Amino acid sequence: MSRALDRRRFLTTTLAGAAIVAFDPLRGGWVTAAQAAESTPAGAVAVPDLDGELTTDPAALAEAGDDYGHIVRRTPLAVLRPGSVADVVALVRYAARHRIAVSVRGQGHSTFGQAQVGAGVVIDSRTLDRVHEIRSDRATVDAGVTWFELATATLARGLTPPVLTDYLDLSVGGTLNAGGIGGTTQTYGMQVDTVLELEVVTGTGELVRCSPTRHRALFESVLGSLGQLAVVVRATVALVPAPASARGYSLYYTDLDTYLGDQRRLLAGRRFDSLEGQAARTAADDGWEFFVDSAVYFTGDRPDDAAVTRGLRHDPARTVTTDYTYAEWIDRLRPTVEFLKSIGAWYLPHPWLDMFLPASRTAEVVRGTLDTLTLADTGQGPVLLYPFRPGRVRPRFVRLPEERVAFLFSLLRTTVPPTTVESQLAGNRDLYDRGVAVGGTRYPIGSVELTRRDWQRHYGRDYPAFAAAKATWDPRRILSPGQGIFGPPR
Ligand SMILES: Cc1cc2nc3c(=O)[nH]c(=O)nc-3n(C[C@H](O)[C@H](O)[C@H](O)COP(=O)(O)OP(=O)(O)OC[C@H]3O[C@@H](n4cnc5c(N)ncnc54)[C@H](O)[C@@H]3O)c2cc1C
């Protein structure tokens, strides 16, 4: 039941102007310290004492009501900048009691409002930013730490997380709720497969440490659960020895089938330590070509190029090799990102679509898509196309095609006028439908309007288990409504 507001507490608390001291359930709004000094709404309930800050500062609300997609905008009622894990516990308990929706925002790099919440509170995880411990085989970090920060800390000890995303300025909590795919997924699975332990706050506000041997069901359910079951506050992830260097190979193909065939051979043979690839418009903009984007890691002698590329059917005259330090390799997107920021393109809308396609049907879906896809449709954004083995990805709620090999097919679109977001979203829905029809699944970081029915289809025969997990760990449905999977808080 609501705790009546102690007016004296308001008057004696020295908080910043926009800081919140109570929630008014009748109005569905907050009471700031300044308002409370004037009058106290009857029935208002004091917010818990916090180490951090709960704010309605307009700049904080505007940031939390936007993301890298700049397509969906839902302004929250407040933003929590937690000063401790206890703050997350207190806020979630409070929200559950008063049926207030809560979402965590890591770096806000999903593209369709996934981390947003309209009538609720966004927990800005950036203040949970400590690297707690690095040992020879593992690191324990707060969920708001970015992979760049973690990798920087571990590389200083000659260690690295085994799987890194292409872009490193993503929060650990953010990618562990999605999956986290990269060039070494071929070997290690996704980032979710490298987690040894989690500390989470469930939707009822319970702080639980879970692992394969402790609260196993919760551990296995939370990884890749799109923020639906718990707030991840801390993670222990595996580390492996870091190589000194990486030799990058770009191998070009004009023919899709030849490219896909070689990619599958490369996946089977594990010739490269990092294996990715893309489709790209030809220089004459008269069609699509393909390139394997890969690297061999080494410490000491540089790999033998002839041995590395032997038997492949690429165009040898166009092969590009580049030497990097390992630190440069994992952060190789940074110069491009800086450039995109300098010309403003980084801040344009990004209606991305990311699909996982079963290998047996990849050629037909990719060909059917690229046949009509123009540079204007993608805004010159990259088109990722590379294989991995779904069987290496353990968490059941990361949905993948049911084949031994799948391809990531991502249209990383930017909206450059006169192309419109609407036309790109329509294209996304079209590709999504075609992908799903052949047994593909969506990597849920991008921009497609999904109905509840679509989500049920997404989880397929695991939907009842996912719904049951939601009912167990977030019975009031307060967590991450921005994904649109379940209904509003109840
Ligand atoms: C430039 C760029 C490159 C990318 N490259 C890759 C790539 O190579 N591989 C890949 O797999 N992905 C990639 N992504 C996608 C990225 O992994 C996801 O969008 C990821 O969710 C972003 O992390 P974030 O910290 O920004 O999360 P946010 O966008 O802030 O949050 C995403 C979702 O996770 C939830 N969430 C966030 N933190 C927590 C937490 N601590 N506890 C519970 N729920 C939480 C949010 O509520 C939301 O539902 C890329 C994105 C961008 C913009």
Side-chain angles (χ1 to χ4, degrees), residues 68 103-111 114-115 125 143 164-167 169-175 177-182 226-227 230-233 276 333 346 352 386 443 445 480 483:
Y68 183 72
S103 199
V104 187
R105 186 180 198 270
Q107 292 289 316
H109 276 70
S110 37
T111 65
Q114 284 91 335
S125 74
L164 289 164
T165 46
D166 297 342
Y167 174 66
D169 292 346
L170 304 168
S171 75
V172 168
T175 69
N177 270 280
I181 188 169
L226 308 178
V231 175
V232 174
V233 288
E276 297 191 4
L333 274 195
W346 185 256
W352 285 9
Y386 64 85
Y443 187 30
I445 60 166
S480 294
Q483 297 277 7

